Amino acid sequence: IIGFFAIGSAQSNPKNIVENYVEGLIDGDWEQVYDTLAVTESEFINSENYVKFQEKNGKDYSSITKYEVQSAEEAAEELLDKYEDLYGDKYADLYDDAMDEVEDKLLKTYVVTYVTNTSSSPKTMTVTLAEQNEKSWLIFTKYRVSTEGMVGKHTVRTYKDATVTVDGIKVDAPAEDENGIAEFKIDAIFVGEHDLKISHPACDEHEEVISTGTDRTTYATSLKISKAVKEDLFKATQDNIKKLANGAKDGKALSSLGIDCTTDEDDLDDLKRNYENLTNSFRKTDGTGLKSITYTAFKDNSYQESIGTSGGYSCYVKTEYSYSSTRKSYWDNTITQNTDTYSGWLTLNYDYVDGKWVLKGFSYYNYYY
């Protein structure tokens, strides 16, 4: 029984825990250090990730040659003895205030004074222990090193269709906000540098090193569209231009053209209005207008490099075409037929929705017949 209590008391002794913590820092034994921490384990907070994190971010304490651990009370009493003669009752009052601050039984604060082989001046670090809800061996009060300032939260704001990983661990995708941007939240992660990777079906893979704090946000809302996606959109745009022009020429409904269009009500109303204006431009009420149009060349002049804030892309295209049309004279109502070639500019605006590009709107310039 005596041995049981002796071992249990030693293992739960707060000062011993601080010494194990410091010894782990000196030896670079991050597993030992982790065993002293007060943490709630998760996908990001665990021994394996802590070791990897410290190997990359950890401070080197191997130069420490000697150290002493004192409770905050002991350190304050030592300072009181040192300075009371100099400052008298004023310093004694400061000592009493310091004692009031450390009387919280759930927290115990220790001061570690140490010297290194690279400096003759002593340095200090403060280690705070938090009392745990669980008991050691069901009897002894259990303390662990507080991780306040060591563990924080982090949010990555990017497109809802993206896949986000931090240090190779996938962050669950949340619900999107009204602009198609989502918040990928990590509730607990070690404070320091981590590797962020974002994959999006329409973009080049994005990688960066992020610095996490107690509560920070990384914004990644300007991902670079991949060359292959741009090429595919240019091809699709050529086909859509033909469908729009011939559909307007023939007076067909937008819904019959076989174009994947937006389902957003406001954007769809604008798209229909643009198509109606194009139809009215090509088809006159007197039966004249554009009779045929054949595209002979397309040139992609798009300048957009990154996907838009809401996940959009504008394809800006110059076209060459031949056409035939009829016109009615204002003077004698005679109808003349014309055949010619011309060039025009069109911009087709797309949104990336549920894994595919949909037409959101378009505008056209210099279309003449």
Side-chain angles (χ1 to χ4, degrees):
I1 293 174
I2 293 173
F4 170 80
F5 278 95
I7 296 172
S9 297
Q11 290 185 349
S12 61
N13 187 313
K15 188 174 181 179
N16 290 344
I17 294 171
V18 175
E19 290 177 347
N20 288 337
Y21 174 75
V22 176
E23 289 288 346
L25 293 179
I26 295 173
D27 296 339
D29 187 343
W30 303 119
E31 290 183 357
Q32 177 174 318
V33 174
Y34 180 82
D35 287 340
T36 68
L37 301 182
V39 294
T40 299
E41 293 203 328
S42 66
E43 199 170 15
F44 285 93
I45 304 295
N46 53 60
S47 179
E48 181 181 357
N49 284 345
Y50 182 74
V51 171
K52 292 178 181 177
F53 173 78
Q54 289 292 9
E55 287 175 348
K56 179 179 180 181
N57 294 268
K59 183 179 177 181
D60 183 8
Y61 291 92
S62 62
S63 61
I64 294 177
T65 57
K66 185 179 180 181
Y67 70 90
E68 179 186 10
V69 177
Q70 292 179 297
S71 67
E73 294 91 339
E74 292 172 334
E77 287 175 358
E78 187 174 283
L79 287 175
L80 176 65
D81 294 338
K82 184 176 181 179
Y83 293 116
E84 191 173 21
D85 291 341
L86 295 174
Y87 299 103
D89 293 340
K90 181 179 179 181
Y91 193 83
D93 292 339
L94 293 175
Y95 168 78
D96 291 336
D97 292 340
M99 289 302 97
D100 290 339
E101 291 182 8
V102 299
E103 279 184 352
D104 186 350
K105 294 182 180 179
L106 296 179
L107 295 174
K108 289 186 177 295
T109 303
Y110 288 82
V111 177
V112 181
T113 305
Y114 62 93
V115 292
T116 70
N117 57 21
T118 58
S119 174
S120 59
S121 301
K123 299 179 181 180
T124 61
M125 73 170 74
T126 300
V127 180
T128 301
L129 301 184
E131 183 178 328
Q132 306 300 289
N133 292 327
E134 59 181 316
K135 297 288 186 179
S136 178
W137 292 5
L138 304 179
I139 296 176
F140 303 99
T141 302
K142 190 173 184 178
Y143 289 93
R144 286 287 181 266
V145 176
S146 170
T147 55
E148 183 177 0
M150 299 183 195
V151 174
K153 300 186 292 183
H154 200 82
T155 300
V156 178
R157 283 184 58 85
T158 190
Y159 307 100
K160 72 179 185 68
D161 299 292
T163 298
V164 176
T165 62
V166 175
D167 295 336
I169 302 171
K170 183 179 178 181
V171 183
D172 291 336
E176 64 175 306
D177 63 21
E178 61 182 5
N179 295 318
I181 299 298
E183 290 189 339
F184 295 77
K185 291 181 175 291
I186 303 174
D187 294 329
I189 190 169
F190 296 114
V191 171
E193 293 188 343
H194 298 268
D195 296 322
L196 169 67
K197 182 180 294 185
I198 301 176
S199 300
H200 188 285
C203 301
D204 292 334
E205 193 165 74
H206 175 82
E207 295 184 19
E208 67 173 295
V209 176
I210 59 174
S211 181
T212 62
T214 53
D215 190 1
R216 293 182 181 176
T217 299
T218 295
Y219 294 87
T221 53
S222 185
L223 303 182
K224 187 175 180 180
I225 298 176
S226 70
K227 181 180 179 181
V229 168
K230 285 185 176 182
E231 291 174 350
D232 288 343
L233 276 172
F234 178 50
K235 291 177 182 178
T237 296
Q238 296 176 52
D239 190 42
N240 288 338
I241 288 174
K242 295 175 184 178
K243 290 178 179 179
L244 288 169
N246 283 286
K249 170 181 69 69
D250 297 335
K252 293 181 178 180
L254 177 65
S255 58
S256 69
L257 303 184
I259 299 175
D260 289 328
C261 297
T262 179
T263 57
D264 181 89
E265 292 184 2
D266 293 336
D267 290 337
L268 185 58
D269 286 342
D270 290 340
L271 177 59
K272 289 179 177 178
R273 192 176 301 112
N274 288 346
Y275 181 68
E276 183 180 355
N277 291 337
L278 182 65
T279 301
N280 292 335
S281 175
F282 283 180
R283 293 171 60 85
K284 304 302 180 182
T285 55
D286 59 9
T288 61
L290 185 66
K291 298 304 178 182
S292 68
I293 182 169
T294 302
Y295 289 93
T296 56
F298 295 92
K299 183 180 179 181
D300 188 1
N301 286 273
S302 304
Y303 51 84
Q304 184 175 338
E305 292 295 328
S306 302
I307 195 168
T309 302
S310 59
Y313 180 75
S314 295
C315 196
Y316 184 46
V317 178
K318 180 181 180 181
T319 65
E320 303 285 345
Y321 59 91
S322 59
Y323 68 91
S324 63
S325 63
T326 56
R327 296 179 183 274
K328 179 179 286 188
S329 171
Y330 290 107
W331 305 105
D332 56 9
N333 290 330
T334 58
I335 294 177
T336 58
Q337 190 165 1
N338 182 43
T339 300
D340 207 344
T341 59
Y342 209 70
S343 62
W345 297 85
L346 289 97
T347 300
L348 271 62
N349 304 312
Y350 297 94
D351 268 344
Y352 190 80
V353 180
D354 296 331
K356 67 178 181 180
W357 292 98
V358 296
L359 185 63
K360 177 182 179 179
F362 71 93
S363 54
Y364 52 96
Y365 318 93
N366 298 333
Y367 260 74
Y368 176 82
Y369 63 86

